[in-house]
Amino acid sequence: MKKLFWAAGLGLLPWIAVLGTTLPDVVAAQHWRLAWTGLDAAEALGLLLTAWLLGRGHARTPLVATATATLLLTDAWFDVVTAGDDVVFSLLLAALEVPLALACLSAAVPRPVPAHV
């Protein structure tokens, strides 16, 4: 499995170079509204599920919290790089999403259970 990940990661490097040199700077995207609302819906579900699992001390909390943090950081990235003229609003959104992602990552770190004396 490790070799697969090495090969896939290294194989992406030339592809990134191709994309960086051939993709247009501006394109019209279909289903733009669906893409953004779907991403935000996934974030909301992840945040709610993280809170629910965290409240129960569930073993899967780190997995869900990490996935939710990833969604939030992805949203912040695309908010900023696709901002256009709304860069200030996009930066404000990212300023909310990044700390929330860090909070999710904090919830993902296993906490030692205190020993009772």
Side-chain angles (χ1 to χ4, degrees), residues 31-69:
H31 309 294
W32 189 253
R33 187 177 307 139
L34 177 61
W36 283 104
T37 56
L39 179 58
D40 285 349
E43 291 169 5
L45 179 62
L47 289 165
L48 294 169
L49 190 54
T50 298
W52 186 72
L53 292 171
L54 192 60
R56 285 163 179 65
H58 199 283
R60 296 199 191 273
T61 303
L63 297 173
V64 174
T66 301
T68 303

Side-chain angles (χ1 to χ4, degrees), residues 7-99:
L10 291 172
L12 276 173
L13 296 178
W15 179 243
I16 292 167
V18 168
L19 292 177
T21 57
T22 61
L23 285 176
D25 286 333
V26 178
V27 296
Q30 293 186 10
H31 309 294
W32 189 253
R33 187 177 307 139
L34 177 61
W36 283 104
T37 56
L39 179 58
D40 285 349
E43 291 169 5
L45 179 62
L47 289 165
L48 294 169
L49 190 54
T50 298
W52 186 72
L53 292 171
L54 192 60
R56 285 163 179 65
H58 199 283
R60 296 199 191 273
T61 303
L63 297 173
V64 174
T66 301
T68 303
T70 302
L71 288 168
L72 288 162
L73 292 172
T74 300
D75 193 351
W77 170 261
F78 282 103
D79 280 343
V80 173
V81 299
T82 64
D85 294 336
D86 297 330
V87 70
V88 173
F89 181 68
S90 295
L91 288 172
L92 288 173
L93 287 175
L96 295 172
E97 291 160 343
V98 170

